Amino acid sequence: MKKQIHQDVYIGFAALAVCMAIFALTASLPSDAAMMPRLLSGLMAVLALLIIYHGLAKSKLPADQQKKLITWDGLKVPLITWGLVLVYVVLFNLTGYFIATGIMIIVLMRYMKQTSWKLIIGIDVVYLLFIYFVFVRMLCFW
């Protein structure tokens, strides 16, 4: 009987491919501008290697101990969340950062089953005020 390779191995290799693409895309940038994308890509590559390592360990388990591979229940939440990120990008282009972020914090918190409107609005307001005063007001003085 042929052993199945766990889905995490494929996901890890896909993440490594994205890291290599990021490194290739930043090759023509000046070193200062390329530093952050490369740093984040390097961190992502380390995490991808860990995913591959654990995926190979899961592949060695007997078939009856392995969880089912990709199912709709496993994909539903990530796909909906990525759809919401896509909506955020569109909203961001139409309305700007503060309005889009304020709306999306509320939508994502409701989607993640947060029911307290006081908490949702409180977090939204505090976050937006913090970002405004740190990144708009303070950085204007520099």
Side-chain angles (χ1 to χ4, degrees):
M1 185 165 109
K2 185 178 174 185
K3 273 281 206 202
Q4 283 191 335
I5 296 175
H6 195 272
Q7 66 190 9
D8 287 357
V9 176
Y10 300 118
I11 293 168
F13 279 115
L16 278 178
V18 169
C19 293
M20 288 189 287
I22 291 170
F23 269 93
L25 290 171
T26 60
S28 62
L29 292 176
S31 62
D32 289 344
M35 182 177 61
M36 188 57 74
R38 288 182 180 169
L39 182 66
L40 293 174
S41 178
L43 178 62
M44 187 171 141
V46 170
L47 294 174
L49 289 173
L50 285 171
I51 290 171
I52 293 169
Y53 173 76
H54 289 289
L56 290 172
K58 290 176 187 176
S59 296
K60 292 178 183 177
L61 292 174
D64 59 338
Q65 288 184 357
Q66 289 185 12
K67 291 182 179 177
K68 286 185 178 180
L69 297 179
I70 298 173
T71 63
W72 173 247
D73 288 337
L75 287 175
K76 186 169 50 172
V77 172
L79 288 176
I80 291 171
T81 305
W82 277 108
L84 290 173
V85 169
L86 183 63
V87 169
Y88 176 65
V89 169
V90 171
L91 200 58
F92 188 95
N93 286 326
L94 294 175
T95 63
Y97 175 78
F98 288 102
I99 294 172
T101 302
I103 292 169
M104 288 311 294
I105 287 174
I106 293 169
V107 168
L108 285 169
M109 289 183 78
R110 291 293 297 159
Y111 175 68
M112 297 296 175
K113 307 271 190 279
Q114 179 54 254
T115 57
S116 171
W117 280 102
K118 286 181 184 179
L119 183 66
I120 293 171
I121 300 300
I123 289 172
D124 206 6
V125 168
V126 168
Y127 173 79
L128 290 174
L129 286 173
F130 176 79
I131 294 299
Y132 176 75
F133 283 110
V134 170
F135 290 101
V136 176
R137 301 295 292 172
M138 286 181 66
L139 292 178
C140 286
F141 291 117
W142 289 352

